[in-house]
């Protein structure tokens, strides 16, 4: 029986429902060969999970999902095998956390202007170890009965066209790729099949993009085949994951994508070559 990997899951350190220990338990139950906690602009869950590993556990891959923006588009860059102790990287991540909290407060102010008063303390309680994100605001709106369902909060208020939406203060994709490379990691374009993000692959490859996420819960078989051909034609690495958040109506279950272990083996070889340095 082949063993699979999941290189894109989220925890309570960003907008997921499971803590790092919960992710490891699920990965063990599914007998995954490897798992990557790729929280938004945060690698705290990876550090916590490192202390929870047991003998025989799936390989825990260092990962992060950086939020980037270009021409009004929301673009995500996944970083793998970076050095979490790199100073510039750690400072940048902390800066993103502050900006996310500020953004969350601005959304609450907009909601208040619309007659929906959500206590900041409630949102912070829901966010826990994470910086405030839109899912935390949506959860709070459900709790105070401002909306009936989680998705209703996005559809009516905090979605991209919603009256309480506040844009992120993002890096450019080029800056995100450079930041990951400075921390000795690999940079991948996340879910390029969503919102036609694949049109940027040529441009991002010029910036040093290492690979693209081929397997994803929102990629059908046709999209997966198309992205595989693009990666192979351009000499890019391939990755994949469920984008698991722990919510039934968002993304897939952890391990739901048959991502081959060979993808991870190729990534490790690339990391060795990139960081070997001159002889």
């Amino acid at each position: 029986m082949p063993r699979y990997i999941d290189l894109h899951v989220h925890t309570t350190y960003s907008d997921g429902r499971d803590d790092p220990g919960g992710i490891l338990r699920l990965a063990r139950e599914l007998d995954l060969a490897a798992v990557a906690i790729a929280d938004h602009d945060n690698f705290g869950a990876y550090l916590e999970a490192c202390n929870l590993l047991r003998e025989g556990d799936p390989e825990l891959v260092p990962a992060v999902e950086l939020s980037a923006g270009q021409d009004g588009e929301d673009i995500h860059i996944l970083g793998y095998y970076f050095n979490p102790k790199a100073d510039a990287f750690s400072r940048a991540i902390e800066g993103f956390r502050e900006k996310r909290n500020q953004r969350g407060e601005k959304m609450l102010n907009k909601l208040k202007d619309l007659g929906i008063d959500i206590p900041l303390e409630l949102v912070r309680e829901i966010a826990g170890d994470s910086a405030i994100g839109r899912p935390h605001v949506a959860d709070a709106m459900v709790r105070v009965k401002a909306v009936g369902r989680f998705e209703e909060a996005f559809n009516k208020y905090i979605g991209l066209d919603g009256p309480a939406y506040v844009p992120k203060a993002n890096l450019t994709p080029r800056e995100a790729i450079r930041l990951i490379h400075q921390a000795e990691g690999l940079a991948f374009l996340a879910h390029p099949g969503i919102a036609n993000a694949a049109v940027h692959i040529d441009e991002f490859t010029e910036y040093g993009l290492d690979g693209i996420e081929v397997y994803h819960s929102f990629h059908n078989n046709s999209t997966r085949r198309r992205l595989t051909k693009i990666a192979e034609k351009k000499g890019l690495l391939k990755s994949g994951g469920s984008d698991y958040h722990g919510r039934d109506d968002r993304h897939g279950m952890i391990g739901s994508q048959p991502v081959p272990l060979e993808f991870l083996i190729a990534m490790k070889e690339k990391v060795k070559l990139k960081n070997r340095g001159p002889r």
Side-chain angles (χ1 to χ4, degrees):
M1 286 287 291
R3 295 182 72 198
Y4 298 110
I5 60 178
D6 194 328
L7 300 182
H8 192 164
V9 303
H10 292 273
T11 73
T12 50
Y13 276 76
S14 65
D15 54 350
R17 282 281 177 86
D18 295 81
D19 61 21
I23 293 297
L24 286 180
R25 283 192 294 274
L26 288 169
R28 289 178 193 127
E29 291 169 5
L30 294 165
D31 194 30
L32 292 177
V35 64
I37 296 172
D39 279 323
H40 296 286
D41 306 322
N42 193 322
F43 54 80
Y46 163 74
L47 297 176
E48 180 178 332
C50 284
N51 295 320
L52 301 174
L53 288 173
R54 305 191 309 222
E55 185 177 353
D57 270 350
E59 179 179 347
L60 183 62
V61 179
V64 69
E65 186 172 12
L66 297 183
S67 302
Q70 179 165 292
D71 301 326
E73 293 182 71
D74 195 18
I75 295 169
H76 292 175
I77 304 294
L78 288 159
Y80 295 108
Y81 286 113
F82 54 85
N83 177 6
K85 296 181 180 179
D87 287 343
F89 196 66
S90 297
R91 288 196 302 270
I93 293 294
E94 185 56 37
F96 298 148
R97 182 182 180 86
E98 291 178 15
K99 290 176 181 176
R100 277 179 171 265
N101 284 330
Q102 291 168 2
R103 179 192 184 217
E105 291 184 32
K106 289 177 182 177
M107 281 190 283
L108 296 184
N109 288 335
K110 282 196 168 190
L111 286 169
K112 191 170 185 178
D113 290 341
L114 295 168
I116 301 173
D117 195 359
I118 307 292
L120 176 59
E121 293 73 19
L122 173 61
V123 179
R124 284 178 173 161
E125 176 189 331
I126 293 170
D129 294 320
S130 169
I132 295 173
R134 285 188 294 166
H136 306 129
V137 175
D139 279 339
M141 293 178 73
V142 172
R143 286 201 192 183
V144 302
K145 299 184 173 12
V147 293
R149 293 176 56 253
F150 180 87
E151 290 299 334
E152 185 182 349
F154 280 83
N155 294 337
K156 287 187 177 180
Y157 297 102
I158 57 175
L160 294 180
D161 298 321
Y165 176 75
V166 176
K168 295 177 185 174
N170 287 331
L171 293 164
T172 66
R174 186 172 193 168
E175 290 168 338
I177 293 168
R178 184 172 65 241
L179 191 65
I180 291 166
H181 285 169
Q182 287 174 343
E184 304 174 353
L186 300 175
F188 282 65
L189 178 59
H191 37 67
I194 300 177
N196 204 26
V199 299
H200 299 292
I201 291 174
D202 282 344
E203 177 189 354
F204 296 170
T205 300
E206 292 180 6
Y207 303 155
L209 187 73
D210 297 292
I212 59 176
E213 189 174 42
V214 172
Y215 286 77
H216 186 272
S217 298
F218 290 172
H219 291 175
N220 58 27
N221 289 335
S222 174
T223 299
R224 188 187 303 167
R225 287 193 295 269
R226 177 172 63 89
L227 293 172
T228 297
K229 288 180 180 178
I230 291 173
E232 292 173 351
K233 179 180 178 181
K234 299 187 178 302
L236 295 169
L237 294 168
K238 301 182 286 288
S239 73
S242 58
D243 207 354
Y244 173 71
H245 283 71
R247 292 181 174 88
D248 293 338
D249 53 355
R250 294 192 79 205
H251 309 97
M253 179 62 187
I254 184 172
S256 61
Q257 301 299 303
V259 186
L261 181 57
E262 288 75 16
F263 285 8
L264 193 64
I265 294 171
M267 290 167 66
K268 289 181 183 179
E269 288 299 315
K270 180 71 175 286
V271 169
K272 287 181 184 177
L273 289 172
K274 285 186 68 169
N275 297 328
R276 183 177 296 169
R279 300 190 174 197

